[in-house]
mmCIF file of all heavy atoms in Angstrom:
data_model
loop_
_atom_site.group_PDB
_atom_site.id
_atom_site.type_symbol
_atom_site.label_atom_id
_atom_site.label_comp_id
_atom_site.label_asym_id
_atom_site.label_seq_id
_atom_site.Cartn_x
_atom_site.Cartn_y
_atom_site.Cartn_z
ATOM 1 N N ALA A 7 -0.058 6.393 2.627
ATOM 2 C CA ALA A 7 -1.289 5.656 2.851
ATOM 3 C C ALA A 7 -1.218 4.980 4.220
ATOM 4 O O ALA A 7 -0.236 4.291 4.542
ATOM 5 C CB ALA A 7 -1.513 4.612 1.780
ATOM 6 N N ASN A 9 -2.513 2.165 6.771
ATOM 7 C CA ASN A 9 -3.212 0.863 6.786
ATOM 8 C C ASN A 9 -3.597 0.622 8.222
ATOM 9 O O ASN A 9 -2.759 0.278 9.069
ATOM 10 C CB ASN A 9 -2.265 -0.239 6.267
ATOM 11 C CG ASN A 9 -2.889 -1.617 6.405
ATOM 12 O OD1 ASN A 9 -4.060 -1.753 6.756
ATOM 13 N ND2 ASN A 9 -2.110 -2.664 6.136
ATOM 14 N N LYS A 11 -5.298 -1.650 9.429
ATOM 15 C CA LYS A 11 -5.445 -3.067 9.763
ATOM 16 C C LYS A 11 -6.760 -3.263 10.533
ATOM 17 O O LYS A 11 -7.703 -2.489 10.321
ATOM 18 C CB LYS A 11 -4.198 -3.574 10.501
ATOM 19 C CG LYS A 11 -2.917 -3.264 9.705
ATOM 20 C CD LYS A 11 -1.716 -3.995 10.172
ATOM 21 C CE LYS A 11 -0.513 -3.606 9.257
ATOM 22 N NZ LYS A 11 0.722 -4.298 9.613
ATOM 23 N N ILE A 91 -5.712 -2.192 -0.868
ATOM 24 C CA ILE A 91 -4.497 -2.974 -0.681
ATOM 25 C C ILE A 91 -4.769 -4.381 -1.168
ATOM 26 O O ILE A 91 -5.828 -4.946 -0.899
ATOM 27 C CB ILE A 91 -4.081 -2.980 0.818
ATOM 28 C CG1 ILE A 91 -3.777 -1.551 1.304
ATOM 29 C CG2 ILE A 91 -2.891 -3.911 1.038
ATOM 30 C CD1 ILE A 91 -3.595 -1.459 2.832
ATOM 31 N N HIS A 94 -1.309 -7.997 0.840
ATOM 32 C CA HIS A 94 -0.541 -7.687 2.041
ATOM 33 C C HIS A 94 0.037 -8.979 2.632
ATOM 34 O O HIS A 94 -0.588 -10.022 2.545
ATOM 35 C CB HIS A 94 -1.433 -6.996 3.062
ATOM 36 C CG HIS A 94 -0.664 -6.393 4.209
ATOM 37 N ND1 HIS A 94 -0.174 -7.139 5.258
ATOM 38 C CD2 HIS A 94 -0.233 -5.118 4.435
ATOM 39 C CE1 HIS A 94 0.503 -6.354 6.075
ATOM 40 N NE2 HIS A 94 0.477 -5.121 5.594
ATOM 41 N N SER A 95 1.209 -8.891 3.234
ATOM 42 C CA SER A 95 1.864 -10.124 3.710
ATOM 43 C C SER A 95 1.010 -10.823 4.763
ATOM 44 O O SER A 95 1.075 -12.055 4.894
ATOM 45 C CB SER A 95 3.241 -9.836 4.268
ATOM 46 O OG SER A 95 3.149 -8.995 5.390
ATOM 47 N N GLU A 96 0.186 -10.046 5.498
ATOM 48 C CA GLU A 96 -0.678 -10.699 6.475
ATOM 49 C C GLU A 96 -1.755 -11.522 5.804
ATOM 50 O O GLU A 96 -2.207 -12.560 6.323
ATOM 51 C CB GLU A 96 -1.277 -9.635 7.421
ATOM 52 C CG GLU A 96 -0.200 -9.084 8.370
ATOM 53 C CD GLU A 96 -0.416 -7.656 8.814
ATOM 54 O OE1 GLU A 96 -1.516 -7.121 8.694
ATOM 55 O OE2 GLU A 96 0.583 -7.056 9.312
ATOM 56 N N CYS A 125 1.136 -5.279 -2.635
ATOM 57 C CA CYS A 125 2.246 -5.458 -1.671
ATOM 58 C C CYS A 125 3.138 -6.607 -2.071
ATOM 59 O O CYS A 125 2.646 -7.698 -2.394
ATOM 60 C CB CYS A 125 1.690 -5.702 -0.280
ATOM 61 S SG CYS A 125 0.692 -4.375 0.366
ATOM 62 N N GLU A 165 7.097 -4.103 1.180
ATOM 63 C CA GLU A 165 6.996 -4.274 2.611
ATOM 64 C C GLU A 165 7.778 -5.529 3.024
ATOM 65 O O GLU A 165 7.239 -6.650 2.957
ATOM 66 C CB GLU A 165 5.527 -4.434 3.040
ATOM 67 C CG GLU A 165 4.686 -3.232 2.731
ATOM 68 C CD GLU A 165 3.539 -3.084 3.728
ATOM 69 O OE1 GLU A 165 2.815 -4.076 3.983
ATOM 70 O OE2 GLU A 165 3.366 -1.986 4.245
ATOM 71 N N ALA A 169 10.097 -6.409 8.655
ATOM 72 C CA ALA A 169 10.079 -5.027 9.144
ATOM 73 C C ALA A 169 8.661 -4.598 9.569
ATOM 74 O O ALA A 169 8.475 -3.510 10.132
ATOM 75 C CB ALA A 169 10.579 -4.061 8.071
ATOM 76 N N ILE A 170 7.677 -5.479 9.339
ATOM 77 C CA ILE A 170 6.297 -5.080 9.611
ATOM 78 C C ILE A 170 5.960 -5.285 11.088
ATOM 79 O O ILE A 170 6.006 -6.383 11.603
ATOM 80 C CB ILE A 170 5.311 -5.907 8.730
ATOM 81 C CG1 ILE A 170 5.513 -5.522 7.268
ATOM 82 C CG2 ILE A 170 3.878 -5.655 9.179
ATOM 83 C CD1 ILE A 170 4.674 -6.350 6.304
ATOM 84 N N GLY A 171 5.638 -4.157 11.743
ATOM 85 C CA GLY A 171 5.202 -4.228 13.131
ATOM 86 C C GLY A 171 6.291 -4.656 14.105
ATOM 87 O O GLY A 171 6.031 -4.961 15.263
ATOM 88 N N THR A 172 7.541 -4.673 13.670
ATOM 89 C CA THR A 172 8.637 -5.186 14.472
ATOM 90 C C THR A 172 9.485 -4.059 15.042
ATOM 91 O O THR A 172 10.329 -4.290 15.897
ATOM 92 C CB THR A 172 9.563 -6.078 13.639
ATOM 93 O OG1 THR A 172 10.041 -5.320 12.523
ATOM 94 C CG2 THR A 172 8.838 -7.301 13.128
ATOM 95 N N GLY A 173 9.323 -2.842 14.499
ATOM 96 C CA GLY A 173 10.217 -1.757 14.902
ATOM 97 C C GLY A 173 11.532 -1.809 14.143
ATOM 98 O O GLY A 173 12.348 -0.889 14.259
ATOM 99 N N GLY A 207 6.932 0.172 3.120
ATOM 100 C CA GLY A 207 6.163 -0.084 4.327
ATOM 101 C C GLY A 207 6.897 -1.013 5.256
ATOM 102 O O GLY A 207 7.565 -1.969 4.789
ATOM 103 N N GLY A 208 6.777 -0.791 6.550
ATOM 104 C CA GLY A 208 7.452 -1.640 7.527
ATOM 105 C C GLY A 208 8.113 -0.753 8.568
ATOM 106 O O GLY A 208 9.234 -0.288 8.361
ATOM 107 N N SER A 209 7.376 -0.508 9.649
ATOM 108 C CA SER A 209 7.896 0.298 10.760
ATOM 109 C C SER A 209 8.345 1.695 10.305
ATOM 110 O O SER A 209 9.298 2.260 10.852
ATOM 111 C CB SER A 209 9.024 -0.431 11.506
ATOM 112 O OG SER A 209 8.528 -1.648 12.039
ATOM 113 N N MET A 210 7.688 2.250 9.286
ATOM 114 C CA MET A 210 7.979 3.623 8.941
ATOM 115 C C MET A 210 7.350 4.493 10.025
ATOM 116 O O MET A 210 6.208 4.261 10.433
ATOM 117 C CB MET A 210 7.457 4.043 7.567
ATOM 118 C CG MET A 210 8.070 5.351 7.052
ATOM 119 S SD MET A 210 7.268 5.983 5.560
ATOM 120 C CE MET A 210 8.401 5.536 4.306
ATOM 121 N N LEU A 228 3.550 3.123 3.130
ATOM 122 C CA LEU A 228 2.344 2.405 3.583
ATOM 123 C C LEU A 228 2.578 2.186 5.082
ATOM 124 O O LEU A 228 3.488 1.460 5.473
ATOM 125 C CB LEU A 228 2.170 1.106 2.828
ATOM 126 C CG LEU A 228 0.892 0.301 3.083
ATOM 127 C CD1 LEU A 228 -0.362 1.154 2.840
ATOM 128 C CD2 LEU A 228 0.853 -0.925 2.202
ATOM 129 N N ILE A 229 1.758 2.879 5.864
ATOM 130 C CA ILE A 229 2.048 3.028 7.288
ATOM 131 C C ILE A 229 1.050 2.234 8.124
ATOM 132 O O ILE A 229 -0.159 2.504 8.006
ATOM 133 C CB ILE A 229 1.912 4.528 7.694
ATOM 134 C CG1 ILE A 229 2.496 5.482 6.638
ATOM 135 C CG2 ILE A 229 2.543 4.770 9.070
ATOM 136 C CD1 ILE A 229 3.955 5.307 6.340
ATOM 137 N N GLY A 230 1.531 1.341 8.965
ATOM 138 C CA GLY A 230 0.647 0.597 9.844
ATOM 139 C C GLY A 230 0.451 1.327 11.179
ATOM 140 O O GLY A 230 -0.319 2.275 11.254
ATOM 141 N N GLY A 231 1.197 0.848 12.169
ATOM 142 C CA GLY A 231 1.029 1.366 13.526
ATOM 143 C C GLY A 231 1.005 2.891 13.637
ATOM 144 O O GLY A 231 0.152 3.455 14.335
ATOM 145 N N ALA A 232 1.931 3.543 12.936
ATOM 146 C CA ALA A 232 2.017 5.001 13.085
ATOM 147 C C ALA A 232 0.849 5.728 12.447
ATOM 148 O O ALA A 232 0.683 6.934 12.705
ATOM 149 C CB ALA A 232 3.378 5.490 12.495
HETATM 150 P P1 13P B 301 3.856 -1.142 10.504
HETATM 151 O O1 13P B 301 4.006 0.256 10.006
HETATM 152 O O2 13P B 301 3.023 -1.241 11.723
HETATM 153 O O3 13P B 301 5.170 -1.855 10.584
HETATM 154 O O4 13P B 301 3.014 -1.916 9.362
HETATM 155 C C1 13P B 301 3.398 -1.810 8.054
HETATM 156 C C2 13P B 301 2.333 -2.399 7.218
HETATM 157 O O5 13P B 301 2.115 -3.600 7.224
HETATM 158 C C3 13P B 301 1.537 -1.493 6.374
HETATM 159 O O6 13P B 301 0.743 -2.195 5.485
#
Side-chain angles (χ1 to χ4, degrees):
N9 174 7
K11 307 194 178 182
I91 297 171
H94 192 281
S95 63
E96 288 151 17
C125 298
E165 298 209 312
I170 294 176
T172 57
S209 300
M210 195 190 257
L228 185 55
I229 320 298

